[in-house]
């Protein structure tokens, strides 16, 4: 029976690759959209804000319908929307008088898919009868990183060989991934998160659970710790190495994503021999050190190295918090996973925003912004220790 569920876990791995595609493909085309459709760049960057904003809403509203229609139906809907949105990018801009309207509708379609995947994939893996849940969760989340690296690298190679003018072909190629996974999810077994006869906690019940609030803050800090540096890695690469933006994207965000994925894959392989709390505490300390290295190093190359090490340090934070939540809150169910995903997304948008605000206050000094963001790994560290204390007190009762 467990062998059958290996197919489910593989489909979930591909699900996170799909999410990486919908989040990271369109930003590679910003300049192309600007020149092709004559849309101001300031307007085009709204597509990213719109994508993540809609995913936040989907995280929130999914609590009301996922359990009603079931995980399989929800997964199929998520993948169909992801594929349809990517294909729509190639058609809709030409159908409207204002091409930006077509782009916005396309982003809206695949953002629904991306938001649903964020809520669904982790609990589906958590429900599978695996020997070590923490290992499976960490390995699962590493596939978002590999998807991110793959999208940037393969798209860049495609554009180099066939020209950026053929971007629509690449969009359709990427759409084949969620289409393939739709057929996979139609066939694989999906286990229930709950024991027979059990029901998941309601949002009201979760909100009255002390440890849930600690975990939610940890989730916000996980997303913020990750994106506060990831979003600015390309800028550090360009300034530090004096290279073009294309090379900066490869040296900055890709190096960050590779090391973040490596950290998750390492725990995914050896997690049964490593204490999760100790691994997360060490990661938080390494994250603080990387922030300090970025902020205070007089050498730009060392600041860039700090960005890469930050990728290594944040790898376990998001999946580790999910695993701790599953162990600490019995019957957390869909509501818990949806709210944690919402918290993670809030952190992902809040972290870079704080860096940007503080940087602008100090004459666009990014190092000052990164230094201010050190609050996130420190809060996460406090959350881990608080969780240990809360679980210890409940165990002793």
């Amino acid at each position: 029976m467990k062998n059958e569920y290996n197919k489910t876990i593989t489909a979930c791995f591909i699900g996170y690759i799909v999410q990486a595609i919908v989040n990271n493909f369109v930003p590679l085309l910003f300049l192309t959209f600007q020149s092709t459709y004559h849309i101001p760049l300031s307007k085009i960057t709204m597509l990213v804000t719109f994508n993540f904003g809609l995913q936040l809403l989907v995280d929130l509203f999914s609590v009301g319908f996922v359990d009603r229609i079931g995980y399989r139906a929800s997964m199929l809907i998520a993948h169909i929307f992801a594929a349809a949105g990517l294909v729509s990018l190639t058609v809709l801009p030409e159908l409207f008088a204002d091409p930006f309207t077509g782009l916005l509708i396309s982003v809206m379609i695949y953002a629904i898919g991306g938001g649903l995947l964020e809520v669904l994939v982790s609990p589906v893996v958590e429900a599978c009868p695996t020997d070590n849940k923490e290992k499976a969760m960490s390995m699962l989340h590493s596939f978002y990183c590999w998807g991110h690296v793959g999208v940037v690298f393969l798209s860049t190679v495609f554009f180099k060989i066939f020209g950026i003018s053929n971007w629509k072909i690449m969009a359709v190629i990427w759409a084949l991934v969620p289409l393939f996974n739709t057929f996979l999810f139609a066939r694989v077994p999906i286990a229930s998160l709950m024991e027979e006869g059990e029901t998941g906690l309601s949002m009201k019940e979760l909100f009255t659970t002390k440890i849930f609030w600690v975990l939610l803050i940890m989730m916000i800090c996980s997303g913020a710790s990750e994106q506060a540096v990831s979003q600015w890695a390309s800028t550090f690469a360009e300034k530090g190495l004096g290279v073009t933006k294309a090379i900066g994207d490869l040296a900055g965000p890709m190096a960050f994503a590779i090391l973040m994925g490596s950290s998750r894959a390492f725990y995914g392989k050896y997690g049964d021999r490593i204490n999760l709390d100790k691994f997360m505490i060490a990661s938080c300390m390494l994250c603080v050190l990387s922030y300090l290295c970025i902020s205070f190093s007089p050498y730009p190359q060392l600041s860039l190295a700090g960005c890469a090490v930050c990728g290594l340090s944040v790898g376990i934070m998001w999946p580790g918090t999910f695993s701790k939540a599953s162990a600490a809150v019995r019957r957390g169910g869909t509501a818990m996973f949806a709210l944690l995903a919402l918290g993670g997304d809030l952190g992902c948008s809040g972290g870079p925003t704080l860096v940007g605000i503080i940087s602008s206050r100090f004459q666009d000094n990014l190092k000052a912004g990164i230094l201010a963001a050190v609050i996130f790994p420190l809060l996460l560290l406090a959350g881990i220790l608080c969780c240990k204390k809360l679980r210890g007190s409940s165990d002793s009762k």
Side-chain angles (χ1 to χ4, degrees):
M1 191 65 174
K2 279 189 181 180
N3 287 343
E4 283 298 306
Y5 280 102
N6 286 338
K7 295 174 184 173
T8 310
I9 292 171
T10 300
C12 288
F13 288 170
I14 299 170
Y16 258 146
I17 291 172
V18 170
Q19 202 189 17
I21 293 167
V22 301
N23 284 346
N24 298 294
F25 178 61
V26 164
L28 300 174
L29 301 169
F30 280 174
L31 293 177
T32 306
F33 291 160
Q34 184 189 27
S35 58
T36 307
Y37 300 123
H38 311 293
I39 304 167
L41 203 56
S42 58
K43 203 173 177 184
I44 287 171
T45 53
M46 281 174 58
L47 295 174
V48 172
T49 310
F50 187 71
N51 174 33
F52 285 108
L54 196 57
Q55 287 194 34
L56 279 170
L57 288 176
V58 172
D59 291 346
L60 188 60
F61 289 118
S62 62
V63 178
F65 67 83
V66 166
D67 282 331
R68 288 183 196 173
I69 68 173
Y71 273 78
R72 190 184 306 279
S74 301
M75 272 291 193
L76 297 180
I77 290 167
H79 284 85
I80 289 165
F81 269 86
L86 289 164
V87 173
S88 297
L89 283 171
T90 68
V91 180
L92 292 187
E94 275 82 11
L95 296 183
F96 288 87
D98 179 9
F100 184 71
T101 305
L103 289 174
L104 208 58
I105 293 170
S106 301
V107 170
M108 181 186 75
I109 295 167
Y110 71 58
I112 292 170
L116 271 174
L117 284 170
E118 186 150 31
V119 172
L120 297 168
V121 175
S122 292
V124 168
V125 168
E126 183 66 31
C128 288
T130 51
D131 293 327
N132 190 300
K133 303 284 187 186
E134 290 90 351
K135 278 178 63 175
M137 192 67 74
S138 188
M139 188 64 81
L140 166 72
H141 284 262
S142 77
F143 274 80
Y144 181 85
C145 306
W146 307 137
H148 182 184
V149 172
V151 168
V152 175
F153 181 74
L154 293 176
S155 298
T156 303
V157 170
F158 179 90
F159 297 149
K160 191 76 177 170
I161 296 170
F162 300 104
I164 193 78
S165 58
N166 287 310
W167 66 268
K168 290 184 178 181
I169 296 171
M170 196 69 220
V172 173
I173 290 170
W174 285 127
L176 294 175
V177 181
L179 192 62
F180 167 78
N181 219 30
T182 304
F183 291 107
L184 211 53
F185 264 112
R187 301 168 65 91
V188 298
I190 296 178
S192 172
L193 266 175
M194 300 295 147
E195 299 289 334
E196 200 170 336
E198 274 189 340
T199 54
L201 296 178
S202 66
M203 287 175 73
K204 186 181 177 183
E205 287 171 316
L206 278 171
F207 289 152
T208 56
T209 307
K210 239 187 243 183
I211 200 166
F212 169 74
W213 285 103
V214 177
L215 290 160
L216 185 63
I217 292 166
M218 285 172 63
M219 204 67 202
I220 292 168
C221 291
S222 296
S225 298
E226 181 183 312
Q227 292 299 317
V229 168
S230 176
Q231 291 291 307
W232 301 106
S234 181
T235 307
F236 275 112
E238 287 174 68
K239 287 184 176 178
L241 303 177
V243 294
T244 62
K245 174 153 177 49
I247 300 296
D249 286 344
L250 294 176
M254 264 189 70
F256 183 97
I258 287 168
L259 285 173
M260 183 165 73
S262 299
S263 168
R264 289 174 175 177
F266 173 80
Y267 193 85
K269 187 166 177 59
Y270 301 107
D272 52 340
R273 306 176 207 172
I274 304 167
N275 179 281
L276 179 60
D277 278 342
K278 288 179 180 175
F279 195 71
M280 288 185 75
I281 289 167
S283 294
C284 288
M285 290 175 174
L286 183 62
C287 187
V288 170
L289 287 174
S290 72
Y291 275 39
L292 295 176
C293 176
I294 293 166
S295 303
F296 292 114
S297 169
Y299 306 106
Q301 291 86 347
L302 201 55
S303 287
L304 182 62
C307 287
V309 171
C310 182
L312 191 69
S313 70
V314 299
I316 193 61
M317 292 177 177
W318 190 296
T321 304
F322 264 135
S323 293
K324 288 179 72 62
S326 298
V329 185
R330 262 195 88 246
R331 300 193 300 111
T334 305
M336 181 182 75
F337 279 99
L339 290 169
L340 290 178
L342 177 67
D345 282 341
L346 283 172
C348 284
S349 58
T353 302
L354 177 73
V355 172
I357 291 169
I358 301 297
S359 299
S360 63
R361 291 277 173 92
F362 289 85
Q363 288 78 49
D364 291 334
N365 183 351
L366 269 178
K367 291 191 172 190
I370 298 290
L371 182 61
V374 80
I375 186 68
F376 297 121
L378 288 174
L379 273 174
L380 181 58
L381 179 60
I384 296 164
L385 298 174
C386 189
C387 265
K388 283 181 77 172
K389 191 176 176 184
L390 285 170
R391 289 204 74 187
S393 62
S394 66
D395 290 344
S396 61
K397 285 176 184 175

